[in-house]
Amino acid sequence: MELFKLQPAIQKFSEFTGFVKEFAVNDKDIIVVNNSIFNKFIKQLDLKSIFISPKKYGDGEPSDEIIDKVIEEAAKYDFDRVIAIGGGAVMDIAKFLVLENISNTLDVFERKIEFNKIKELIAIPTTCGTGSEVTPYSVAEIKSKGTKMGIGIDEFLPDHAVLIPELLKDMPYKFFAFSTLDALVHAAESLVAPGSNPYTELFAEKAIELILKGYKDISEKGIDYYSEIIEDFLIGSNYAGIAFANTGVGAVHAISYPLGGTYHVAHGECNYEFFTPVFKTYTEMAPEGKIKRFNELVTSVLRLNEDADVYEELDKLFNFIWEKKKLRTFGMQEIEILGFTESVIEKQQRLLANSYAPLSKDVILDIYKKLY
């Protein structure tokens, strides 16, 4: 049984120019990057590469419609490598460009075609959340189905994951909050997943430790302090990606998808909404399993008393980082609670099967009701 796999070679540069020189970036490279990063770090270098901005085709989380248009644009060019510079959305989109003869994104998500990787992929994160630079996963909103879908295939694994802290220095706080909360969920779900093992647990636990310690420091020194320790969060996100690339994620992601797909809520914020309620439910259902290890780790990192309510303390800390909202504030209607629950049961069995403990329809329904 395979326990652990890490395909991308991981490199680190203090500045973007160091990467350009080391990798000999040239006119046979397609660089998938949005305008904000391009204008700030790339434009003045006068590179001759081919540039594609997914935002030209739509804002927000990636959708199958946006990915199809990016694929169509890339097909016009002769290129050897794909360089993805951005958050999880950019990297998840760019992964499709390494496949041969792809035109319909939905065919990939539904595995209706054979996958053949024909291009080298270099992934450079500009947020500290998804860990997509080291994972075989891509997630997108499927417009025709009204939900998000995810797929994990070895062909989507980048060949190089490049960490450049310079690219994150001026990240807007909102993106910092959502992306790091997302990374924390990845690490936590990996730690308690059925397939976790001593190798994945090393990365998951270190990611949780780095992120929670960083949050604690921010709560004590002020919101602006996040930019001073951004490299810790970048590495923590990378560790979390390595962990869940090997174990997958579970019910937090499954339950969050209908909200994100219907109301276009940022992926990290969606996961944040359901994180502590799901993990508290796990603790109630099976307190002596791997969830106990998570709870003990949180207690240790946050220096809590042994009798402290772990999830109450986590919610206090998280609310300092970003205030949690009721689901209705995103536009969700009470009548949709049942529909969202049924959607999770029907469309997210892959994720539910990877949960720490099995969540019934009634349990999921109750989580939605409490958060509504």
Side-chain angles (χ1 to χ4, degrees), residues 224-283:
D224 292 340
Y225 187 66
Y226 82 95
S227 63
E228 299 294 318
I229 53 174
I230 199 68
E231 187 170 337
D232 287 345
F233 287 102
L234 176 60
I235 293 173
S237 168
N238 187 252
Y239 286 165
I242 292 169
F244 95 87
N246 284 274
T247 63
V249 289
V252 177
H253 277 72
I255 299 173
S256 77
Y257 278 169
L259 178 68
T262 304
Y263 292 102
H264 313 291
V265 183
H267 179 66
E269 186 170 15
C270 279
N271 283 338
Y272 169 41
E273 288 290 320
F274 299 101
F275 178 27
T276 53
V278 168
F279 270 58
K280 187 173 183 179
T281 301
Y282 285 162
T283 300

Side-chain angles (χ1 to χ4, degrees), residues 113-216:
I113 55 176
E114 290 186 12
F115 305 128
N116 182 27
K117 182 177 182 178
I118 58 171
K119 306 293 182 182
E120 184 179 3
L121 176 61
I122 301 167
I124 307 175
T126 62
T127 64
C128 34
T130 67
S132 187
E133 72 275 6
V134 289
T135 78
Y137 300 112
S138 181
V139 177
E141 177 187 350
I142 308 301
K143 294 286 189 178
S144 61
K145 295 180 178 292
T147 190
K148 288 186 177 182
M149 292 181 69
I151 185 172
I153 55 175
D154 284 347
E155 289 80 4
F156 277 173
L157 274 167
D159 300 282
H160 298 272
V162 181
L163 307 182
I164 309 176
E166 176 192 43
L167 301 182
L168 286 76
K169 282 293 185 182
D170 298 319
M171 187 198 325
Y173 181 77
K174 176 180 179 179
F175 297 132
F176 161 79
F178 291 166
S179 64
T180 53
L181 287 163
D182 192 25
L184 184 59
V185 172
H186 289 154
E189 289 211 284
S190 173
L191 182 63
V192 303
S196 70
N197 60 70
Y199 297 93
T200 63
E201 288 162 6
L202 282 173
F203 287 94
E205 289 185 357
K206 188 61 179 178
I208 293 166
E209 180 184 329
L210 280 169
I211 294 169
L212 286 183
K213 185 179 182 303
Y215 282 173
K216 193 171 188 297

Side-chain angles (χ1 to χ4, degrees), residues 13-75:
F13 298 90
S14 58
E15 297 178 342
F16 183 70
T17 51
F19 159 75
V20 171
K21 181 178 179 181
E22 180 76 17
F23 278 75
V25 176
N26 60 73
D27 61 358
K28 299 287 282 186
D29 294 321
I30 275 188
I31 299 180
V32 184
V33 61
N34 287 323
N35 290 337
S36 57
I37 295 295
F38 173 81
N39 291 333
K40 188 164 188 178
F41 297 101
I42 305 174
K43 185 176 182 180
Q44 66 271 26
L45 301 180
D46 196 28
L47 299 176
K48 304 307 179 186
S49 305
I50 305 153
F51 293 95
I52 296 178
S53 172
K55 285 204 170 184
K56 177 164 60 174
Y57 302 113
D59 288 324
E61 301 285 317
S63 69
D64 54 339
E65 294 177 356
I66 292 174
I67 299 173
D68 284 346
K69 290 176 181 176
V70 170
I71 293 171
E72 183 180 355
E73 181 176 349

